[in-house]
Amino acid sequence: MTEMAVGVSFRPGELEVRPDGSGNLLGSRCGSCGAHFFPVREVCSGCLSDDMETVGFSTRGMLYTYSVVRQSTPAFEVPYALGYVDFPEGVRIMGQISGCEIDEIGIGMPMVLSLEPFGEDEEGNPLTGYRFSPAEGIAQDPRNE
Amino acid sequence: MSDVHILGVGMTRFGKHPDRDAADLGAEALRGAVSDSGIDPRAIEAAYCGHVFQGMVTGQRILAQVGLAGLPLSNVENACSSGATAIREASLAVRAGEHDVVVAVGTEHLTTRFRGALTPDPSDPEAAVGATMPAVYAMRATRYMEEFGMTREQLALIPVKNKTNAAHNPLAHFRDKITVEDVLESRPIADPLRLHDCSPVTDGAAAVIVMSKRAAKRYGNGRAVRLTASALRTGTVDVEPTSMTFEPLTWATAQDAYERAGIGPEEVDFAEVHDCFSIAEVLRVEGLGLFKQGEYPAAVERGDADIDGSLPINPSGGLLGKGHPLGGTGVAQVVELVRQLRGEAGVRQIEGARVGLAHCRGGKAVGIEGAACTVQILVR
């Protein structure tokens, strides 16, 4: 894969993008009971503690379910695949699916976070967002190891 | 705790109303409910108006149309449960003894607000990556098919059933019966869901008059129906991922309603449930405990949920057939319940109906299983 220009995170509070193109989805970890949440929360829904720390989640998870969206808002070109990925911390996060054909997608697939160009800001600067890709295909890319 | 009754009910035709607005539609529904109740409109003491996208003071615009401006009124928004929430607020005002006669109206002119798929609020992280409401339900359908072996054809039987019922409902958005083939050949929206699996963008309004036992005795002539429970819950933030093929929020709200009504799911004779999508009807009836998890698709195939089946679901045509004007939806469900319980549902009449249940749920916010859910139980 060739180097791509790294844009600013499309939603900095939810996705951290580092200058080397790596990054993590961000959420909260409860210092009292250990529960994790996406996105960042001020208070833990499990124990109501406000001892919450912002953490980056693992980049690998498992596809819980998915759909191929064929009608959407003008902001999104159809079709695109959308899925929920379960991460080891105990959070389920929605994202688009990339890096494979639509008919290769299946429940239970191992997935990896993939930082990708994701639209532009109001001044036309490129933004970086995330998608989830099948883990096998991407695992050979050293940038993601 | 005093009993709450519903006497008058009214609704507009559901469909596309290009020449009217949400206040006009609400006024027609309200006047219909007053006329149905037989009361003098000046007996109404307070009002609640449920809507989602109609702008500020929509309820006041309705009251101005019908000559009732001056009453205490609150506009309530709870996404697709807005109208049902208005009924709950009206019932609480009566239960509390504050008022004897209260109107709840729900309205929406959705065709001027939305085209195509509804989406969560743009600020939502899931909306930012392309979530639409059909896509969220499509993902639940994908998972349900994997876990319980439901076939695409079984799922198609739900819009077929509901549009068959709507064909017999003169106020429904859709009046044409469809076949399984029609469903499977309709335009794909979000796999596996197709156009006929999705409720339409509908304009419409409905109203009901909620009253105390004392007022029902005075005005009712035996036509009032008891609202024995009107439960409302909001979804909790998941501490860990939960199954998307079962609805803890629907379950918990239903338990509140069953307890309040002193009625269990086995005593429910029929139900109007929030079938915003075909798969949604499956998740609702199983979450309500009306059918065991994983068993509803086969029950539909057997005809159990038909109007002449053992437990009719969505005899009005549901959201899929009757239409889904967000604020109007929950109120229209109760209109159907009242008409069925009074034996006034014409060719859609369920023989011997005594206990009816209405279920709404709406709204999507990241990390929350569902935003707002209502379950109401009416008894003849």
Side-chain angles (χ1 to χ4, degrees), chain B residues 45-51 55-63 70-78 82-83 85-90 93 99 102-107:
Chain B
E45 299 165 27
Y48 292 88
C49 176
H51 69 88
M56 60 177 84
V57 298
T58 293
Q60 282 83 345
R61 284 187 275 134
I62 294 171
L63 290 190
L71 298 184
L73 176 140
S74 295
N75 291 280
V76 300
E77 185 272 308
N78 253 346
S82 297
T85 304
I87 296 178
R88 172 183 155 86
E89 294 300 325
H99 297 295
V102 182
V103 66
V105 57
T107 189

Side-chain angles (χ1 to χ4, degrees), chain B residues 197-216:
Chain B
D197 291 296
C198 305
S199 53
V201 174
T202 303
D203 306 322
V208 300
I209 296 175
V210 176
M211 54 179 65
S212 64
K213 188 176 184 177
R214 180 171 55 186

